Amino acid sequence: MQNWEDLRTLISTPQKVVITTHQNPDADALGSSLGWGLYLQKKGHQFTVISPTDYPDNLSWLPHCADVVVFNEKSRQQCTDLMANAGAIFCLDFNALQRINELGEMVRNAPGTKVMIDHHLFPEDFADISISDTRAAATAQIIVEIIERMGDNLLIDKSIAESLYAGIMTDTGSFRHPSTTKDAHLAVVRLMEAGLEPNPVHRRIFDNAPMSRLRLLGHVLSQNMVHLPEYNTIYMTISEAELKQFDSKYGDTEGIVNYGLQVQKVALAVLMIEREREIKLSFRSVESFSARDVASAHFDGGGHKNASGGRTKLTLQQTVEKLVSVLPQYKTALTHS
């Protein structure tokens, strides 16, 4: 449902607003949140972005990123007060309150108007106003379209443009994923008209890694990557001990799973990471095969057709064994992709 007029009415009156996004925020989550906040600020609103967890170092350059409130025990009361005093709470790049951990109940119980802006499938019915477009490549793309629909293109400045471009660029895999559409490119055109320079944004995100990340990547690709040609599948693992060995920081594992799809004929790539007493899985697939089907059916996950996540409470080895055991169910689809 697209409640355009309700949204227009809501943002026409300046007020205090909170913007929140999913745990372990990526560039689309954080970029769309900051871009939306800076746009609302130009319309007279006071905004605060609250993140359920910390964000990767390679996103710390985003305009006003230093002002993001990261939810933890120290900031709990601040977050509670911000939610209680907000006239509107914008939920960006997620569509189920469980995606924001303890903040979920705060949002549910807050008196302000709840607005969901998102592009994922199967939205939960928790918002008063919903702007949900599963065809959009990124939530940041939807923000560009909202600003245009509101007749506010001239309010987009370089800071807003950089924030939103970061989300579109990363969620499209630098414009190579199947989610890359004409509308995604047109959104970027609008941002470039506002002063965006794409190359510096790309370099800040992708050419800004610590040496430890490169060493971890090399280790995973050389030692922990397994090719299953009979299923056109590659899986990779990273144990908690290996994360410590390579001094891995949050965000260092981002994008590693994509390397699996570079192998000839591979239709599905899976990365399994042991962290915080559970295994987190990332699934990537070619356009014709649904990674989401595997994630949702077997690993308590979901997401997009070709980019999904999951998790288990099994051991790392047990998770590998489970993955291998379910692949025969998908053999025909995998080998004909």
Side-chain angles (χ1 to χ4, degrees):
M1 183 179 294
Q2 315 291 37
N3 305 128
W4 296 111
E5 292 310 310
D6 291 340
L7 179 61
R8 184 188 301 275
T9 299
L10 178 68
I11 66 175
S12 66
T13 302
Q15 57 192 308
K16 292 180 180 179
V17 303
V18 164
I19 303 168
T20 190
T21 189
H22 60 74
Q23 60 183 324
N24 303 324
D26 55 13
D28 189 28
L30 207 56
S32 63
S33 296
L34 289 166
W36 180 243
L38 291 169
Y39 161 69
L40 291 179
Q41 186 177 66
K42 287 197 168 188
K43 293 181 74 69
H45 300 269
Q46 299 178 49
F47 81 95
T48 303
V49 175
I50 300 178
S51 175
T53 57
D54 206 354
Y55 50 83
D57 286 344
N58 69 338
L59 299 182
S60 61
W61 63 270
L62 284 166
H64 289 261
C65 196
D67 298 325
V68 172
V69 177
V70 177
F71 177 77
N72 51 39
E73 283 304 312
K74 184 177 179 181
S75 66
R76 180 184 294 273
Q77 189 58 54
Q78 180 187 8
C79 294
T80 301
D81 293 342
L82 286 166
M83 292 280 191
N85 294 318
I89 299 172
F90 293 93
C91 302
L92 270 59
D93 204 38
F94 71 95
N95 59 16
L97 291 179
Q98 66 180 14
R99 294 293 313 280
I100 56 173
N101 302 339
E102 292 182 60
L103 287 179
E105 284 307 302
M106 286 191 189
V107 171
R108 194 186 303 276
N109 298 323
T113 303
K114 287 87 171 177
V115 182
M116 180 185 71
I117 304 175
D118 183 57
H119 69 132
H120 295 89
L121 294 168
F122 313 122
E124 187 179 88
D125 185 19
F126 69 86
D128 302 302
I129 299 173
S130 295
I131 305 294
S132 177
D133 185 358
T134 59
R135 297 167 301 174
T139 296
Q141 177 187 327
I142 300 175
I143 299 299
V144 176
E145 293 168 356
I146 291 174
I147 294 173
E148 181 178 41
R149 185 176 284 262
M150 298 300 162
D152 288 333
N153 276 356
L154 293 179
L155 294 184
I156 302 177
D157 60 17
K158 188 173 182 180
S159 292
I160 294 173
E162 287 184 338
S163 299
L164 298 178
Y165 179 72
I168 297 171
M169 178 190 65
T170 53
D171 259 28
T172 58
S174 297
F175 305 97
R176 71 179 187 274
H177 291 339
S179 60
T180 306
T181 63
K182 177 185 74 174
D183 290 335
H185 284 297
L186 287 174
V188 173
V189 169
R190 297 184 193 106
L191 298 178
M192 293 184 73
E193 289 172 345
L196 168 71
E197 297 178 52
N199 181 258
V201 176
H202 189 281
R203 286 190 56 80
R204 289 178 198 136
I205 291 178
F206 293 114
D207 301 335
N208 193 26
M211 182 63 75
S212 58
R213 183 188 187 279
L214 273 294
R215 295 192 188 284
L216 173 64
L217 173 62
H219 174 77
V220 172
L221 297 182
S222 64
Q223 303 297 319
N224 295 3
M225 185 167 68
V226 178
H227 184 202
L228 303 175
E230 66 272 30
Y231 300 116
N232 286 348
T233 294
I234 274 180
Y235 71 80
M236 294 168 271
T237 61
I238 305 177
S239 69
E240 197 155 26
E242 288 169 321
L243 291 175
K244 293 179 181 177
Q245 176 187 348
F246 291 94
D247 192 27
S248 176
K249 304 293 190 301
Y250 171 63
D252 284 355
T253 60
E254 186 72 24
I256 290 179
V257 65
N258 295 321
Y259 284 87
L261 292 183
Q262 294 184 15
V263 177
Q264 188 177 37
K265 295 184 179 181
V266 166
L268 175 67
V270 185
L271 174 64
M272 292 163 272
I273 304 173
E274 181 183 32
R275 182 180 278 141
E276 298 174 356
R277 296 183 296 280
E278 69 176 6
I279 308 302
K280 297 181 179 180
L281 299 95
S282 294
F283 298 83
R284 298 292 185 271
S285 65
V286 297
E287 184 174 2
S288 56
F289 182 78
S290 175
R292 183 184 64 243
D293 289 351
V294 182
S296 60
H298 306 285
F299 296 98
D300 192 28
H304 302 292
K305 177 183 177 182
N306 303 116
S308 291
R311 62 187 61 212
T312 77
K313 293 294 185 181
L314 302 173
T315 66
L316 188 56
Q317 182 57 38
Q318 288 170 334
T319 304
V320 169
E321 292 170 357
K322 181 175 181 178
L323 173 67
V324 174
S325 74
V326 304
L327 287 177
Q329 300 176 35
Y330 303 94
K331 183 172 183 176
T332 300
L334 285 166
T335 54
H336 289 82
S337 295

